[in-house]
Amino acid sequence: MWEISVPVGIVICVTVYLLYTNGYLTISAKRALLYVGSLKGDRARFSSCTGYIKRVIRPKESGTRHFSFTAQTSSGEVWAELFDEEKQRLMHLDRDDQHAAVFLTAPGRYVLVIRFKRATGTYSLEQGTPSF
């Protein structure tokens, strides 16, 4: 029994890791009364939500990428952050600061994190194409 399940478990773990690091899988650790969101995590409707959503961004070409974050909450907070490979914060967007332009280099790996703190409402995050 163990002879089969251990290699299968290793294959599953490696597959999940590769999907996440290449930007095809979103990691989510949150609790909420209601959460309805898109697959890429770029928009959602939620109620009493606390936690985060993480997604890797791997740009195909270097350039400035424009981000626009719209949050409409009746309570709590929701914000978006972008980190580089050294975990340095490159961007912080919330209700007050909704737009940012960040230069991303290819083939870099960046982590986009949407955080919730007892939030009820909606959010939308749009990414513009790179410009030179």
Side-chain angles (χ1 to χ4, degrees):
M1 176 75 178
W2 285 101
E3 298 84 30
I4 296 173
S5 61
V6 172
V8 170
I10 291 171
V11 168
I12 291 172
C13 289
V14 169
T15 302
V16 168
Y17 173 77
L18 290 174
L19 287 172
Y20 172 71
T21 58
N22 287 302
Y24 296 109
L25 185 67
T26 302
I27 302 282
S28 177
K30 62 186 176 310
R31 68 174 195 270
L33 292 177
L34 168 74
Y35 185 89
V36 179
S38 65
L39 289 176
K40 289 185 178 181
D42 56 354
R43 64 184 39 104
R45 189 176 76 224
F46 45 88
S47 178
S48 298
C49 187
T50 299
Y52 64 87
I53 300 169
K54 285 185 183 181
R55 181 169 176 256
V56 172
I57 297 175
R58 296 195 63 147
K60 293 185 171 128
E61 56 189 41
S62 297
T64 301
R65 186 157 300 171
H66 300 275
F67 294 87
S68 178
F69 183 73
T70 306
Q72 298 173 347
T73 57
S74 58
S75 65
E77 299 175 59
V78 60
W79 65 95
E81 297 175 313
L82 183 68
F83 297 93
D84 64 9
E85 292 183 36
E86 287 82 34
K87 298 182 182 174
Q88 299 293 319
R89 187 170 69 182
L90 303 175
M91 171 188 83
H92 176 88
L93 298 176
D94 56 15
R95 290 175 94 171
D96 301 325
D97 193 16
Q98 297 182 351
H99 304 283
V102 181
F103 186 80
L104 303 180
T105 57
R109 183 180 304 155
Y110 301 88
V111 177
L112 178 66
V113 182
I114 311 291
R115 297 189 190 274
F116 305 90
K117 186 175 180 183
R118 294 185 296 274
T120 297
T122 63
Y123 83 86
S124 173
L125 177 67
E126 297 177 16
Q127 299 179 39
T129 57
S131 60
F132 301 96

